[in-house]
Structure formats: structure tokens, C-alpha cells
């Protein structure tokens, strides 16, 4: 069965963006790029919210063809451009991008059907509302957190407050020379239908 993998860049204090979506704290190096490339090359699709899908659609198809981009970036962009994309959008007002289909909401039956489909794992980038819904439904199989050595102290948190704790089991931890640490976790308490 395909896994749902949430891959997020986060600060040490759990923020994924500044209060106005600032991302100037990122430390992207060759090891981070290699992880991202290997993740998408081994995956079958992306599951994105409407805004992240629009941001990606506006960037990656162009980057795939841009001779000024590094080959590593173009290779990643070409893979993302050709992958299956599932976008969650109630409005249906989504960006045009090849291999995209829309789901109106995070429906547990539809997500379980996706997981039972053929192809590689499904990666979730950004899309906090989608992630929160998947977590509530216990449908995330792995969290890949690229923890950056910085405190933002304010911003957009990876997880909502006011929810019960969820226990995770460490799969691996890999420090990069930039100080970023890639930590992979899987949920401990899962519903049988989600596995």
C-alpha cells in the first residue's frame, strides 16, 4: 500500500513560515536538495492544498526548462512537473497544471483508495489545512521534518493547538552540514483502516 508522507521544512520551535509567510530562514544546501530529489523520484504523486498547488504550478514547470537553474533543481522540477498531483479544493478554482485532479475535500474513503492505488508513495508539501485533516483522520504514515537551526518565535505552526497529543516513533535522524536535521517519524497509534 502507498504511504502518505508529510515532508516539511520547520524551525526548531515548530514554525513552517513566518507570520507573513516569510521563508528567509531556510538553509538549503546540497544535502537538502538531494533528500528532496530522492523523495520525489521514489514517489508516485503529490497531495496539495489549492494555494500550494498554485504556487508549485507557477514555479516548477518554468524551473524545469530554465537553463539558468542548476541541473539538480531542474531535475527535481522535471520530476515534480510530470508527477500525479491531487489538489484539495472546495472551490474548484485551481491552477492549470498537467496530471492534476481535484478532490473537493479530504475524504477518508478517497484517501484510503488513493493509498490502495498503484505507484509510489504520496507526498504532502505545505498545505497545512490538508495536513491537519489527514492527521485528524490518522491517515499520515510518515512525517519527514527538515528541522532548521533557528527560532522564529512567531509564525505559522506546523500543528494546530487545542488537539490531543499524538505519539510518534523515530525512524531515523540525519544531520546535514548546514545544521539542518532530517528527522523521520511514524505515528504510533493508528487506526487499522489507515494502514
Amino acid at each position: 500500500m502507498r504511504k502518505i508522507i508529510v515532508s516539511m521544512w520547520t524551525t526548531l520551535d515548530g514554525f513552517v513560515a513566518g507570520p507573513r509567510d516569510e521563508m528567509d530562514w531556510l538553509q538549503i544546501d546540497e544535502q537538502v536538495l538531494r533528500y528532496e530529489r530522492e523523495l520525489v523520484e521514489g514517489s508516485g504523486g503529490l497531495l496539495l492544498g489549492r494555494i500550494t498547488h498554485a504556487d508549485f504550478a507557477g514555479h516548477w514547470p518554468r524551473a524545469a526548462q530554465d537553463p539558468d537553474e542548476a541541473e539538480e533543481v531542474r531535475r527535481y522540477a522535471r520530476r515534480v512537473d510530470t508527477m500525479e498531483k491531487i489538489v484539495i479544493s472546495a472551490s474548484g478554482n485551481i491552477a492549470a497544471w498537467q496530471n492534476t485532479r481535484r478532490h473537493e475535500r479530504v475524504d477518508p474513503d478517497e484517501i484510503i483508495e488513493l493509498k490502495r492505488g498503484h505507484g509510489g508513495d504520496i507526498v504532502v508539501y505545505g498545505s497545512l489545512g490538508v495536513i491537519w485533516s489527514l492527521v485528524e483522520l490518522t491517515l499520515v504514515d510518515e512525517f519527514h521534518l527538515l528541522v532548521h537551526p533557528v527560532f522564529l518565535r512567531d509564525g505559522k505552526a506546523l500543528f494546530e493547538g487545542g488537539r490531543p497529543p499524538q505519539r510518534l516513533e523515530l525512524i531515523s535522524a540525519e544531520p546535514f552540514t548546514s545544521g539542518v536535521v532530517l528527522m523521520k517519524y511514524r505515528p504510533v497509534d493508528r487506526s487499522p483502516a489507515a494502514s
Side-chain angles (χ1 to χ4, degrees):
M1 183 177 282
R2 303 163 89 185
K3 292 185 289 190
I4 301 252
I5 298 173
V6 169
S7 180
M8 291 295 284
W9 298 350
T10 180
T11 64
L12 200 57
D13 52 349
F15 294 108
V16 296
R20 290 172 296 285
D21 290 325
E22 302 94 331
M23 301 293 286
D24 55 353
W25 48 271
L26 293 177
Q27 297 184 27
I28 302 170
D29 62 9
E30 195 170 303
Q31 290 171 298
V32 170
L33 290 174
R34 185 180 65 239
Y35 156 76
E36 294 292 355
R37 190 191 77 244
E38 289 173 356
L39 178 64
V40 298
E41 286 177 355
S43 299
L46 300 177
L47 178 60
L48 306 168
R50 180 184 57 80
I51 294 170
T52 303
H53 177 268
D55 289 346
F56 279 27
H59 177 74
W60 292 119
R62 279 197 317 259
Q65 306 301 321
D66 186 347
D68 293 332
E69 289 284 0
E71 177 54 31
E72 183 86 1
V73 173
R74 285 200 325 252
R75 188 171 160 189
Y76 173 85
R78 285 191 298 267
R79 175 64 185 140
V80 168
D81 190 33
T82 59
M83 292 175 84
E84 169 192 26
K85 273 83 67 178
I86 301 109
V87 59
I88 306 295
S89 171
S91 72
N93 184 21
I94 62 171
W97 192 10
Q98 69 173 330
N99 301 326
T100 293
R101 60 190 161 108
R102 179 179 77 93
H103 287 204
E104 190 172 313
R105 60 190 174 86
V106 177
D107 178 279
D109 294 330
E110 289 177 346
I111 300 299
I112 290 168
E113 193 60 35
L114 275 177
K115 292 174 73 166
R116 289 186 178 136
H118 297 290
D121 295 331
I122 302 162
V123 177
V124 184
Y125 284 126
S127 313
L128 290 177
V130 173
I131 292 169
W132 296 338
S133 295
L134 291 168
V135 167
E136 285 296 303
L137 296 167
T138 65
L139 291 170
V140 176
D141 297 286
E142 290 183 12
F143 295 93
H144 293 190
L145 305 178
L146 290 140
V147 181
H148 287 63
V150 63
F151 291 116
L152 280 190
R153 303 180 197 277
D154 188 20
K156 294 188 175 179
L158 176 54
F159 294 108
E160 291 180 298
R163 302 286 188 205
Q166 179 167 11
R167 292 178 43 230
L168 303 172
E169 173 184 33
L170 182 66
I171 299 169
S172 65
E174 180 183 358
F176 295 160
T177 54
S178 63
V180 173
V181 179
L182 169 60
M183 296 190 297
K184 298 181 182 180
Y185 291 94
R186 71 173 62 94
V188 173
D189 304 316
R190 310 269 327 251
S191 68
S195 301

